[in-house]
Amino acid sequence: TCPLVSRKKKSNKPISVKTNLKIPSHLTRPETNPGPDLHPGEWRATLNRVCFVRSMAANSKMAIASLAAQIRPFTCLAASQPSRLAPHPPDLVRWIKREGGFVHHAVKLSQETQFGIGLISTEQIPQGTNLISLPPHIPLRFESDDASSSSSSLLTALARRVPEELWAMKLGLRLLQERANGDSFWWPYISNLPETYTVPIFFPGEDIKNLQYAPLLYQVNKRCRFLLEFEQEIRRTLEDVEVSDHPFSGQDVNASALGWTMSAVSTRAFRLHGNKKLQGGSSDDVPMMLPLIDMCNHSFKPNVRIIQEQNGADSNALVKVVAETEIKENDPLLLNYGCLSNDFFLLDYGFVIEANPYDTIELKYDEQLMDAASMAAGVSSPKFSSPAPWQRQLLSKLNLAGEIPNLKVTIGGPEPVEGRLLAAIRILLCGELVEVEKHDLDTLKSLSFTAPLGIANEIAVFRTVIALCVIALSHFPTKIMEDEAIIKQGVSATAELSIKYRIQKKSVIIDVMKDLTRRVKLLSSMETPTAA
């Protein structure tokens, strides 16, 4: 989730980052309106070549000496691995303490946790111990109602043009503004941010292609397209803005820089309660960047949690990290980022969880595909393409038919089959309305109820889903054993991440097939033997 002022010569030093944003080549042609089936092989190698040309042109312009001292250029100087924005960034813990925050003496930053850089405990810490406390002025957030200056108004205007689903870019604009400001209060924090991120928009083109999963390729493509278009939008908006009113201190903002700031926010921000009260008394949901706290890595079994605590009569809340369990010496501090699929973890955080219990495979509910899968499963005359009126009515209630249906269904995750898909197959493989009417839709959508429409129906349902799994698995051009062999041969970090991601996707499908096969065997043993 702009008025133009008189033109004044401004510094056009562009943001340059070390990451190479992968933009589809045809997206540079404004007359093209690409659809979701863009082939990653069409993507050009890097955007940096374009950025380099722009940099050469921009650097040829005269800088304003009086402004130079107030601007921190958008350049990256790597000193060590993993590289921070500054070669020798300020001590983050010392800064937090100086600003009135608290950091437990046993909490230390480590470069060598099993998850990479992160926080560890140097001694045993009891459950309930307060580990980190940030006063209200330390978290970095986007204040959309801040119109205290022209630059703030311009930043708000730009943020309004960001789609809500890309909320990280809104806060990212504020982060980029602070990064450009030579006197930023948050520089001790920003200077400690990574110089690069392992999210797919920065993968080499071949590694993007090697994800082998169309829904994620579509999202990567969509984000790249947005970044390229938003770069032009920012240029048009700020073209005639005076340097003193420029939200980025007169510096040029390109798609790579936008990708960096969006990735910095998506990998590190938390959604917490804001200060505004909504109807019903609840607080608004505000993305915030929490210095030091955001260095806690992820686990589905966390040992710390974030809480917000009122600071006396102050309406602003303290943000604290508290030990959820007893923490042993040298244990990492781990938060749960959410019960998310690997699509979200890779797209927003840049990592993949092995055996992720919340990972799913996205399918399209297609009537012809369902007929084919059902026939492959041994159903003689499936009704997916020609449902009876009462069946179509129930499909509409499942939002799988009607004027604006949601045809995206999933397999995998906490339940092997999404409830809507399960209910639809049960209904369409049962020709008896009187049998279906005995159950409500919630029952038909649940695997907890064994064979509500009969054992024969349930076996046919599970075999149809297994056939769907076989079809989905066939869309991956490589097998898991081949993927594992490639990794053993030695590949780049991004290539390994792509391969591990697709291995996990295939594993989800295989696990669903195993689960349903086990259920079929159990149901088959329950069937009454037919008399000879």
Side-chain angles (χ1 to χ4, degrees), residues 89-158:
D91 187 311
L92 194 55
V93 172
R94 185 177 301 172
W95 173 68
I96 290 173
K97 290 181 177 179
R98 188 175 68 239
E99 291 299 325
F102 167 79
V103 181
H104 192 280
H105 68 271
V107 173
K108 301 296 180 185
L109 187 63
S110 174
Q111 304 276 352
E112 299 178 353
T113 75
Q114 65 181 101
F115 310 100
I117 189 170
L119 299 180
I120 65 168
S121 172
T122 59
E123 63 183 47
Q124 184 169 307
I125 297 178
Q127 180 182 4
T129 302
N130 182 26
L131 302 176
I132 303 172
S133 181
L134 302 181
H137 65 283
I138 287 185
L140 177 62
R141 68 195 83 187
F142 184 86
E143 305 289 355
S144 59
D145 55 354
D146 180 14
S148 57
S149 65
S150 296
S151 63
S152 297
S153 297
L154 286 168
L155 200 70
T156 300
L158 289 171

Side-chain angles (χ1 to χ4, degrees), residues 270-318:
F270 297 86
R271 285 183 173 272
L272 302 178
H273 298 308
N275 299 325
K276 293 181 181 178
K277 293 295 182 181
L278 305 176
Q279 269 188 327
S282 61
S283 299
D284 58 335
D285 188 25
V286 179
M288 303 180 191
M289 300 191 78
L290 307 178
L292 193 64
I293 292 176
D294 60 14
M295 291 187 175
C296 293
N297 285 304
H298 164 78
S299 173
F300 290 130
K301 296 179 180 179
N303 56 12
V304 301
R305 63 187 174 97
I306 295 176
I307 62 173
Q308 287 179 273
E309 186 177 275
Q310 290 301 122
N311 185 16
D314 193 342
S315 61
N316 292 314
L318 294 171

Side-chain angles (χ1 to χ4, degrees), residues 402-463:
E403 293 184 2
I404 312 177
N406 175 14
L407 301 179
K408 185 181 79 172
V409 292
T410 60
I411 58 173
E415 292 289 337
V417 187
E418 183 190 327
R420 294 188 310 136
L421 177 61
L422 179 64
I425 301 175
R426 280 172 167 172
I427 290 167
L428 289 165
L429 293 184
C430 178
E432 301 296 332
L433 173 60
V434 64
E435 289 297 322
V436 174
E437 285 181 330
K438 293 177 181 178
H439 310 279
D440 58 26
L441 280 181
D442 287 339
T443 298
L444 296 177
K445 289 163 62 177
S446 175
L447 275 172
S448 300
F449 296 91
T450 304
L453 300 180
I455 292 178
N457 173 271
E458 196 80 337
I459 290 175
V461 167
F462 290 160
R463 284 176 173 165

Side-chain angles (χ1 to χ4, degrees), residues 195-207:
E195 189 177 26
T196 60
Y197 290 94
T198 56
V199 291
I201 59 172
F202 294 122
F203 282 13
E206 192 64 22
D207 292 340

Side-chain angles (χ1 to χ4, degrees), residues 12-13 21 23 33 43 95 127 132 206 221 242 272 295 358 374 388 390 428 459 476-477 500 522:
N12 280 319
K13 178 174 286 188
L21 183 63
I23 304 291
N33 183 23
W43 298 11
W95 173 68
Q127 180 182 4
I132 303 172
E206 192 64 22
N221 189 19
E242 295 183 14
L272 302 178
M295 291 187 175
Y358 305 99
S374 194
W390 65 269
L428 289 165
I459 290 175
F476 289 91
K500 285 184 175 179
L522 181 61

